[in-house]
Amino acid sequence: MRKVTISIQVDAEKLRAIQFYVGKKDSTLESELEDCITKIYEKYVPAQTREYIECISAPERPPRSSRSVQRTEEADGER
């Protein structure tokens, strides 16, 4: 999926405090914000819409060659 950047305004002192205490928990502000975005997404976007988005953004699988299918069928027939 293509990523976009969002920006918000926050008090500089509050941001420094958040970064300090998040760092003490071996985390980063970015990872915490990503978790928050994921929770908001799951809370508000209906499951069917999320499923649709996942389907259209999933990388395409390369088609299986007919040779590998024939080999599988041949192996099954030898049993």
Side-chain angles (χ1 to χ4, degrees), residues 2-74:
R2 184 175 67 92
K3 301 276 184 174
V4 297
T5 301
I6 60 173
S7 62
I8 60 168
Q9 292 186 350
V10 63
D11 181 73
E13 292 301 317
K14 289 181 181 180
L15 178 60
R16 278 194 286 274
I18 292 168
Q19 290 171 324
F20 175 77
Y21 286 103
V22 166
K24 289 185 114 187
K25 298 285 185 177
D26 293 324
S27 188
T28 65
L29 179 57
E30 289 80 7
S31 66
E32 294 294 325
L33 289 172
E34 287 175 2
D35 290 345
C36 289
I37 292 292
T38 299
K39 289 177 184 172
I40 292 169
Y41 175 75
E42 291 171 352
K43 180 177 179 179
Y44 290 102
V45 178
Q48 290 178 324
T49 304
R50 294 192 312 260
E51 183 179 344
Y52 172 75
I53 290 170
E54 290 171 14
C55 285
I56 63 171
S57 65
E60 290 186 33
R61 294 183 190 173
R64 290 178 55 181
S65 70
S66 59
R67 291 181 67 199
S68 62
V69 173
Q70 289 173 347
R71 286 183 188 157
T72 303
E73 290 172 356
E74 290 171 3

